[in-house]
Amino acid sequence: MTNAMDYELPEEMIMLRDMARKFAADRIGPNAREWDRTGQISPEVIKELGELGFLGVLAPEELGGAGIGYLGMSVIIEELARQCGGTALMVAAHNGLCCGHLLVGANDAQKKKYLPPLAKGEMLGSWCLSEPNSGSDAAALKTTAVLDGDSWVINGSKIFITNGAQAGVFIVHARTDPEASKAKGISSFIVERDTPGLEVGPKEDKMGMRASSTVPLTFDDMRVPRENLCGELNKGFYDVMRVLERGRISIGTLSVGLARGAFEESVRYATEREQFGKPLAKMQAIQFKLADMAMQIDAARLLVRKSATLQDAGKSSNLESAMGKLYASEMATRVCLDAIQIHGGYGYMKDIPVERLMRDAKLCEIGEGSSEIQRLVIARQLLDLPK
Ligand SMILES: Cc1cc2nc3c(=O)[nH]c(=O)nc-3n(C[C@H](O)[C@H](O)[C@H](O)COP(=O)(O)OP(=O)(O)OC[C@H]3O[C@@H](n4cnc5c(N)ncnc54)[C@H](O)[C@@H]3O)c2cc1C
C-alpha cells in the first residue's frame, strides 16, 4: 500500500523506512509469536537494533546516536510495530522516554556518561513515573527523595515500568519538596541498575505487548549520588510533561504500525479465502471494511507525522501529539477488531497475527496518558483552560 505522506518523506527517510521494514520482516516478524508467548525478545535482536542505530534515534551523533529526530523515530517504530508491538514498545520507551528525558533534563556530563551506551544499545533504559496510587494523576506521586550528605535517599515504589527487567538505567521521578503543591515539588534522578536498595519485581503477565517487559520497582533507602539529580531541583514535573509531549508521538506511530499490520494481514486473507465460490475480497461488505481501515490508518499517520515534524522544527506539539496519539490508538483498536472480523474464526486463534496485534493495540489507549487524559489535554488547549 502507498502510505499517505510518504511522498513527502525526504529521500533519507525512505531509505531508513526500507531498512527498518526489511529488518523487521526478517528478524522480528518470524519471532513475534514466540516472544509474545515467552514474554522475551531475543538479546541478539536487541543487540542488532543497537547496531542499526534504532536505540539511539534521538541522541546526537557526537553522543553515539543517529540524530534522526522524531520523524525518523516515527518511521522506524511504525515498521517495528507492524511486526511486533512489544518490540516497538521497548524501542519507544527506551528512545522516547529514557533517552528523551536525558536530552531534555540532563547536564552535559550526564549526557556524555549515559547517552552513548544507551544509544548503542549496550543497555536499555526505563522511565519511572507511575505508582500504585498515581497513574493519570501522576503529580500525586508519593516516592520521596531526601538529600543526606552527598546522596539522595529515595524511598517508595513504581509500577508498570517498561524495560524494567533488563534496563541498565532508570529515570526515577520523586517528591523532593513535600510542602510544595503537587507538581511543584518533584525532581528526577538517574538510577543505575546495581544501586543498593533498588529492587526490581517480577515481570507482569500482560494481555498484550507481551514481548516487552513490565515490572514493579521498590526503593528502600536507595542511595543515589547527589550529582545524579537530572534537571532542576523541584522542576522535574515540567520535564516530565515535555517528555510526554514527545513520547506520545512514539505511541501514536506504534498504533499506526499495529493497524497497518492488521490491515495488510486482512488484505492477504481476504484475497486468499473463498466463501460462496469467490474470495472474500470480492464481497462489497469486506471491501468497505478494508477501505475504511486504509483511510483511517493514513489519517492517523498524517496526524502523528505532523507532531513529529513540529518537534523536529523545534516547535511545541502538545496539542498535535495528544491528537495524534488519541486518534491513532483508538483507530488501531478499531482496525484490529475489524481485521479479526475479516479473518472470521481463524482471527480468534493465536496462530494468526491479528489476534496478537489487537491485544497489543489496546495498550496504546492506556499508556503515556489514557484516551480520557488526551481529551483533557486537547480540550484544555482549545479552551485555554488552566492545566
Ligand atoms: C504495559 C504498560 C506499560 C507501561 N509503561 C510505563 C512506563 O514505562 N513508565 C511509567 O511511568 N508508566 C508506565 N505505564 C503506566 C501507564 O502510564 C498508566 O497505566 C496510565 O497512565 C494510566 O494510569 P492508571 O493505570 O493508574 O489508570 P488510572 O489513572 O487509575 O485511570 C483509570 C481510568 O480512569 C480514567 N481517568 C483517570 N482520571 C480521569 C479524569 N480526570 N477524567 C476522566 N477519566 C479519568 C482513565 O482514563 C482510565 O480509563 C505502563 C502501563 C502499562 C499497562
Side-chain angles (χ1 to χ4, degrees):
M1 181 179 64
T2 311
N3 296 332
M5 266 191 89
D6 273 1
Y7 67 94
E8 279 187 15
L9 277 182
E11 190 57 35
E12 69 272 16
M13 289 288 161
I14 305 237
M15 284 164 59
L16 179 70
R17 182 203 63 195
D18 292 347
M19 179 177 74
R21 189 170 290 178
K22 180 163 177 5
F23 176 78
D26 292 349
R27 301 290 293 136
I28 294 174
N31 296 307
R33 164 91 171 94
E34 181 62 7
W35 296 345
D36 176 65
R37 201 179 60 75
T38 59
Q40 206 154 345
I41 301 166
S42 94
E44 297 89 76
V45 172
I46 298 179
K47 190 164 167 278
E48 287 166 24
L49 285 164
E51 287 162 0
L52 285 169
F54 291 179
L55 297 175
V57 286
L58 300 175
E61 284 179 51
E62 64 272 19
L63 292 175
I68 51 173
Y70 286 89
L71 188 58
M73 184 177 79
S74 71
V75 165
I76 290 169
I77 289 178
E78 179 181 328
E79 296 306 327
L80 302 181
R82 191 269 168 253
Q83 301 293 345
C84 172
T87 305
L89 183 64
M90 175 190 77
V91 172
H94 171 90
N95 281 300
L97 297 179
C98 180
C99 298
H101 199 105
L102 289 169
L103 286 164
V104 160
N107 59 35
D108 285 349
Q110 291 168 335
K111 285 182 188 161
K112 273 190 195 136
K113 181 168 179 192
Y114 293 104
L115 278 172
L118 285 164
K120 287 184 213 140
E122 288 163 13
M123 60 182 181
L124 284 176
S126 280
W127 190 80
C128 316
L129 181 65
S130 304
E131 297 187 358
N133 293 313
S134 61
S136 303
D137 187 9
L141 62 82
K142 292 234 162 20
T143 293
T144 55
V146 177
L147 191 60
D148 179 32
D150 272 345
S151 10
W152 290 96
V153 182
I154 302 184
N155 280 289
S157 61
K158 299 285 174 182
I159 52 166
F160 303 150
I161 302 307
T162 301
N163 296 342
Q166 314 99 310
V169 66
F170 301 80
I171 308 294
V172 173
H173 311 290
R175 188 160 301 285
T176 36
D177 183 354
E179 307 301 322
S181 68
K182 273 165 62 179
K184 292 194 175 144
I186 292 171
S187 306
S188 305
F189 299 89
I190 304 170
V191 178
E192 296 182 11
R193 188 179 188 89
D194 55 6
T195 306
L198 167 63
E199 194 191 314
V200 178
K203 283 198 234 174
E204 300 290 354
D205 189 7
K206 306 193 292 291
M207 171 201 272
M209 298 290 193
R210 292 177 55 82
S212 75
S213 70
T214 311
V215 301
L217 304 175
T218 310
F219 316 123
D220 185 10
D221 282 337
M222 177 175 75
R223 281 189 172 264
V224 175
R226 185 180 189 146
E227 64 268 21
N228 281 26
L229 171 71
C230 181
E232 270 188 75
L233 184 64
N234 295 328
K235 301 232 168 102
F237 202 70
Y238 302 105
D239 288 346
V240 164
M241 291 293 110
R242 288 165 72 200
V243 170
L244 285 175
E245 169 182 335
R246 296 151 191 213
R248 284 171 184 155
I249 298 171
S250 63
I251 302 297
T253 197
L254 202 163
S255 308
V256 172
L258 293 170
R260 200 185 97 214
F263 170 78
E264 289 174 0
E265 295 294 333
S266 300
V267 169
R268 186 168 54 192
Y269 188 77
T271 313
E272 287 166 6
R273 171 79 169 173
E274 293 195 359
Q275 288 295 284
F276 299 99
K278 60 183 178 186
L280 296 177
K282 289 256 157 103
M283 296 165 189
Q284 201 177 49
I286 303 291
Q287 291 172 358
F288 281 12
K289 259 196 192 357
L290 291 171
D292 284 348
M293 290 159 91
M295 173 188 67
Q296 294 176 71
I297 294 166
D298 270 0
R301 186 184 293 106
L302 283 162
L303 262 179
V304 172
R305 287 197 184 161
K306 181 179 175 190
S307 48
T309 307
L310 283 168
Q311 280 296 335
D312 287 342
K315 296 182 182 156
S316 161
S317 68
N318 205 17
L319 176 68
E320 293 79 5
S321 293
M323 284 183 172
K325 195 256 182 198
L326 172 61
Y327 181 76
S329 59
E330 294 192 342
M331 174 283 296
T333 303
R334 276 195 308 273
V335 163
C336 288
L337 285 171
D338 276 347
I340 291 174
Q341 196 67 17
I342 290 172
H343 282 73
Y346 292 103
Y348 205 66
M349 302 296 138
K350 287 209 174 269
D351 278 339
I352 304 293
V354 292
E355 180 270 347
R356 171 172 46 81
L357 293 166
M358 187 271 290
R359 288 186 283 109
D360 290 350
K362 187 61 197 169
L363 182 270
C364 298
E365 294 181 65
I366 298 168
E368 293 197 31
S370 62
S371 289
E372 290 76 11
I373 296 305
Q374 303 313 309
R375 287 189 167 86
L376 286 178
V377 171
I378 294 165
R380 270 181 199 143
Q381 289 174 85
L382 296 178
L383 302 170
D384 206 14
L385 298 173
K387 308 245 164 17

